[in-house]
Amino acid sequence: MLKLNNFIENSIEEVKNKIRDEKAIIALSGGVDSSVCSVIVENAIGDNLTAIFVDHGFLREGEADEVVNMFKNMLNFKYIDASEEFLKGLEGVVDPEEKRKIIGKIFVDVFEREAEKIQAKFLVQGTIAPDWIESEGKIKSHHNLSLPGGMVLNIVEPIRELYKDEVRNIGRNLGLPDELVDRQPFPGPGLAVRIIGEITKEKLDITIKANHIVTEEVEKIGLNKDLWQYFAVLTDSKVTGVKGDQRDFGYLVVIRMVASLDAMTAEVPELPWNLIKTISKRITSEVSDVSHVSLSVSDKPPSTIEFT
Ligand code: XMP
């Protein structure tokens, strides 16, 4: 078992020696990985770290405010609302990988614009072990990153060797609140990966509301402690329903809840039926334009956790 206090002290020391008096930036999402990294690096170099929170608009209900309120007095923190830019860039795009690429590119563009203003030499990244094991399978970290606009940044990855449960322990040790430390993992492109087909403002609003209901109901009964992720996916299918005495033709929403240790594999556990029925009733009655809710029961593999 990792010695937490030693890890924190050692990594603060390492970061100090590496960055010295230069400036560094981090893209802070409010997730546990980037939050823990921000606090470690802030401890090492203080205000020479700027934490940039790029709001792509695909965040969960209330999330942007929570992140701003949490960090605005703790770090040298900058909030950028880029939601219009993201929605515009995604207009008419339906292919999941293309959507991811566009989101990644806009994110880098926005981030680079901000980084240039700061003249940072180092980029802090919240990479953890499964990120590079799954994506590259190589052991050595790249040492610098050239951004499209020409900036070259040295990479600092303080928690690169850790797994999620270890990062959570470090977060608790650093004094981060439980709500943040225990938050379910959330993908970088956010709710965008939970919308099948073109992303429109209308579909995004439905997805935000449906995900909020799932989160509320799961957390109300404390099931979040046993789940890795729990969320709603908006499909691109419309199906026939009946609301009051009217025929209704609305979206099909899928609920997905999985247990996992590190997202490499995942299992759909037995779920309380009342919970599923309550979520279904709430989504169909509270979210206009949804006429049907179904439950995903597929494990990973063969399915992935996210739908796109
Ligand atoms: P999959 O869907 O591949 O997801 O089984 C495994 C874990 O990774 C998250 N995920 C992402 N995280 N950018 C991220 O930062 C992404 O594009 C992305 N896609 C999936 C997913 O939520 C799950 O925890």
Side-chain angles (χ1 to χ4, degrees):
M1 185 61 193
L2 194 81
K3 297 216 174 56
L4 296 184
N5 284 326
N6 281 354
F7 176 87
I8 294 171
E9 276 168 28
N10 291 345
S11 73
I12 290 174
E13 211 45 44
E14 259 176 46
V15 170
K16 251 187 211 165
N17 291 334
K18 190 161 183 187
I19 303 182
R20 296 177 181 275
D21 293 329
E22 299 290 350
K23 293 220 156 77
I25 46 169
I26 183 167
L28 173 63
S29 68
V32 63
D33 304 339
S34 63
S35 300
V36 163
C37 277
S38 297
V39 176
I40 289 175
V41 177
E42 202 275 340
N43 269 290
I45 64 164
D47 277 359
N48 273 346
L49 172 73
T50 304
I52 298 172
F53 174 42
V54 177
D55 180 353
H56 47 35
F58 308 128
L59 299 172
R60 292 161 286 190
E61 193 162 299
E63 187 170 1
D65 285 343
E66 278 166 30
V67 176
V68 171
N69 289 331
M70 168 89 58
F71 290 108
K72 67 178 182 207
N73 299 321
M74 198 192 281
L75 303 168
N76 178 10
F77 176 86
K78 195 160 183 186
Y79 170 71
I80 313 286
D81 178 1
S83 50
E84 296 288 330
E85 198 170 334
F86 279 89
L87 264 187
K88 197 155 185 353
L90 287 162
E91 257 171 29
V93 184
V94 295
D95 180 73
E97 284 310 304
E98 203 184 330
K99 283 193 278 190
R100 265 199 177 71
K101 277 192 197 124
I102 291 169
I103 291 170
K105 183 184 176 312
I106 298 174
F107 191 92
V108 171
D109 288 349
V110 173
F111 193 70
E112 186 168 19
R113 282 204 298 263
E114 294 308 316
E116 262 173 1
K117 292 181 198 161
I118 294 159
Q119 286 298 304
K121 289 235 162 57
F122 289 87
L123 172 67
V124 182
Q125 286 188 323
T127 314
I128 63 171
D131 298 338
W132 55 268
I133 292 170
E134 196 166 59
S135 66
E136 309 165 44
K138 41 179 209 210
I139 312 283
K140 277 208 129 190
S141 169
H142 44 286
H143 294 295
N144 57 49
L145 178 77
S146 302
L147 293 173
M151 258 190 113
V152 179
L153 292 161
N154 293 297
I155 306 284
V156 182
E157 293 176 316
I159 57 171
R160 190 181 154 77
E161 304 302 327
L162 304 184
Y163 284 82
K164 203 78 174 190
D165 54 332
E166 296 171 324
V167 182
R168 289 196 169 119
N169 282 335
I170 303 276
R172 268 186 274 275
N173 245 253
L174 286 167
L176 291 170
D178 287 350
E179 309 89 78
L180 188 152
V181 169
D182 294 327
R183 234 167 54 154
Q184 60 173 321
F186 191 59
L191 297 175
V193 303
R194 298 178 184 165
I195 297 171
I196 301 177
E198 185 184 3
I199 299 173
T200 60
K201 184 81 180 73
E202 180 220 9
K203 285 170 80 180
L204 178 59
D205 287 343
I206 294 172
T207 312
I208 291 172
K209 285 183 188 142
N211 273 276
H212 184 59
I213 291 171
V214 173
T215 305
E216 259 189 359
E217 293 300 328
V218 168
E219 292 178 2
K220 199 186 278 175
I221 62 166
L223 187 66
N224 47 305
K225 293 191 174 58
D226 302 322
L227 295 174
W228 172 262
Q229 279 172 303
Y230 38 99
F231 55 86
V233 177
L234 179 60
T235 72
D236 210 21
S237 297
K238 285 203 165 184
V239 292
T240 301
V242 55
K243 281 191 180 168
D245 53 5
Q246 294 282 313
R247 182 182 178 279
D248 179 52
F249 193 57
Y251 283 106
L252 167 68
V253 162
V254 180
I255 309 171
R256 183 136 171 88
M257 299 186 192
V258 295
S260 176
L261 279 178
D262 53 13
M264 306 275 212
T265 61
E267 191 202 3
V268 179
E270 222 171 87
L271 296 162
W273 199 239
N274 276 344
L275 169 75
I276 304 301
K277 297 291 276 186
T278 305
I279 290 173
S280 167
K281 281 185 190 136
R282 279 196 62 191
I283 291 178
T284 46
S285 63
E286 292 174 32
V287 188
S288 54
D289 262 337
V290 178
S291 5
H292 200 118
V293 172
S294 70
L295 175 68
S296 159
V297 293
S298 298
D299 296 339
K300 172 183 182 177
S303 304
T304 51
I305 295 177
E306 305 289 350
F307 267 40
T308 73

